[in-house]
Amino acid sequence: MNRKRVVIAGLGDAGVLAAIRLSGYADVVGISAKPALVSGQELGVRLSRPDDWARDYWIPFDRFRRLDRVRTVQAELTGVDLAARTVVGKRADGGALAEEYDALVISTGVSNGFWRRPTLQSAAEVGAELRAAHDRLAAAGSIIVVGGGAAAVSSALNMATTWPGKRIDLYFPGTSALEGHHPRIWSRLHGRLSALGVGIHPGHRAVLPDGFADDEITGEPVRWSTGQSPARADAVLWAIGRVRPNTEWLPRELLDERGFVRVTPELRVPGHRGVFAVGDVAATDPLRSSARNRGDALVARNVRAELSGGRLGAYRAPQRRWGSLVGVQPDGLEVFLPSGHAFRFPSWSVERVVMPWIVRWGMYRGVRENNPLG
């Protein structure tokens, strides 16, 4: 009996986990613009402590034990022939890519600032980009963070922890930050930011300059449409949530009005048997929460069910965002629940239990030791 072929289009956080779960069931081909998992998580740790971030969030594919059974291809996707059930693209070496599939999982994610882009990159280019952003901020005496989401809050807190001598200010348009989270979470983090000396400035909506791109750290004054005087700092980090889905390679018929992939509650693309989407690219709910709530487990289960004639399960989205907002800190890892309450893993348990056993073995089913930054 011929094994089915499953193509995973995009090997970010959700795509890698889906590939791992499907690797024992089918012939899995994973297509990625990067030569490794380069996570979009934990921006604050990435900017302030790049070695720590690389250890946990930049992981070459050959370090994942369960990806030994997955054929990974570095390529830029350019299209899909839904009738012929084939995805096409351009390989990193310039050659043409054409991969047939019995099932397709779309997990190409989103672009959001310089830390989440779908461009083809070598390991050396990933490392250089990582170091350049860190060095730019390390050299600055003052930093402005623009944005009120998790990336902005995490960046302000982590930079203030790593560089207590810098002047760091957080500006956001609402009366409070973290509007997608329970109010208790912002109240708690507001207190921590204040204790670290971060200036907190609600009610500031930035004017985006002509030709503005959020994929670089800038140094010009920030002007506000809400009437305040311009703000100045040596470096300005834009974390304003200008999320763009990486779906230029897909037919318009698969997308909603914002360019995200339309899906049923089963994470299946309507009208196309065997085609699924998961992660930030999938229009599951306003928060696109299948990226963070075991959507990878459901999509893998539903792919197996679809190919074997079984019953598909439905995704149930949480009403609020939750999880670790600021990453591992010197005193451990704090995880926030949808209720706004938090529990803390002490630092010893993060090093000895959470990362090696819960994450590397529990989630990823085994990760070989190494660090891309050496």
Side-chain angles (χ1 to χ4, degrees):
M1 180 177 178
N2 292 332
R3 282 165 61 90
K4 300 294 187 180
R5 174 178 289 190
V6 178
V7 170
I8 311 289
L11 290 177
D13 295 296
V16 163
L17 289 169
I20 285 171
R21 292 181 178 277
L22 287 164
S23 62
Y25 169 77
D27 291 330
V28 179
V29 180
I31 303 171
S32 171
K34 315 297 184 189
L37 168 62
V38 182
S39 177
Q41 298 184 59
E42 307 295 5
L43 176 62
V45 177
R46 172 179 173 143
L47 295 173
S48 61
R49 293 180 280 125
D51 290 287
D52 291 346
W53 181 88
R55 182 188 60 239
D56 298 325
Y57 296 102
W58 174 16
I59 307 176
F61 296 132
D62 61 9
R63 287 182 54 204
F64 293 97
R65 296 181 186 274
R66 286 290 291 271
L67 292 187
D68 289 349
R69 293 178 283 185
V70 173
R71 179 162 59 88
T72 59
V73 181
Q74 189 178 5
E76 177 184 11
L77 292 164
T78 57
V80 58
D81 187 329
L82 295 167
R85 304 179 74 79
T86 303
V87 295
V88 296
K90 182 177 69 174
R91 296 176 182 269
D93 62 8
L97 170 78
E99 293 287 349
E100 297 179 353
Y101 61 83
D102 294 297
L104 170 65
V105 178
I106 301 167
S107 53
T108 43
V110 297
S111 296
N112 183 14
F114 58 84
W115 60 96
R116 299 179 80 181
R117 295 187 295 176
T119 52
L120 284 168
Q121 286 182 304
S122 66
E125 289 169 332
V126 172
E129 187 174 74
L130 183 65
R131 284 299 189 195
H134 169 78
D135 291 347
R136 173 78 168 84
L137 294 168
S142 58
I143 301 171
I144 287 173
V145 182
V146 183
V153 171
S154 172
S155 297
L157 190 146
N158 276 282
M159 289 190 292
T161 301
T162 300
W163 298 307
K166 295 185 188 298
R167 179 173 64 82
I168 298 174
D169 291 277
L170 174 66
Y171 292 85
F172 50 89
T175 57
S176 63
L178 301 177
E179 292 185 348
H181 299 75
H182 194 284
R184 285 194 190 98
I185 300 176
W186 171 237
S187 178
R188 185 177 182 89
L189 292 180
H190 184 287
R192 292 177 62 183
L193 289 164
S194 296
L196 289 166
V198 174
I200 300 172
H201 308 274
H204 286 68
R205 185 174 296 279
V207 175
L208 304 185
D210 292 341
F212 170 80
D214 60 356
D215 59 356
E216 63 179 336
I217 297 168
T218 61
E220 293 74 28
V222 182
R223 304 184 184 280
W224 313 104
S225 64
T226 39
Q228 298 90 348
S229 299
R232 293 172 173 81
D234 297 332
V236 179
L237 174 66
W238 297 85
I240 56 177
R242 296 184 77 199
V243 172
R244 286 89 63 194
N246 297 324
T247 53
E248 295 86 353
W249 62 284
L250 292 170
R252 184 67 209 177
E253 66 188 83
L254 304 189
L255 311 179
D256 68 7
E257 66 280 359
R258 296 181 59 204
F260 295 92
V261 181
R262 293 184 295 113
V263 291
T264 68
E266 294 75 26
L267 303 181
R268 185 164 60 183
V269 176
H272 298 280
R273 181 174 174 80
V275 181
F276 296 81
V278 69
D280 285 315
V281 78
T284 51
D285 60 283
L287 300 179
R288 301 184 313 283
S289 59
S290 71
R292 292 161 291 278
N293 294 278
R294 306 301 297 278
D296 58 279
L298 178 65
V299 80
R301 189 177 77 190
N302 283 351
V303 166
R304 293 194 298 267
E306 180 104 316
L307 295 177
S308 62
R311 183 176 179 180
L312 279 63
Y315 178 71
R316 293 176 176 82
Q319 296 302 305
R320 294 185 185 274
R321 296 186 188 274
W322 68 282
S324 165
L325 270 76
V326 298
V328 178
Q329 298 298 303
D331 59 354
L333 175 66
E334 194 169 46
V335 177
F336 294 94
L337 302 174
S339 65
H341 297 96
F343 62 91
R344 179 183 298 280
F345 294 97
S347 56
W348 69 264
S349 69
V350 175
E351 297 173 3
R352 301 177 191 175
V353 179
V354 176
M355 297 309 299
W357 294 106
I358 297 176
V359 175
R360 297 190 184 107
W361 278 107
M363 286 178 55
Y364 292 128
R365 312 295 176 87
V367 180
R368 301 177 180 96
E369 292 300 319
N370 192 20
N371 187 332
L373 293 185

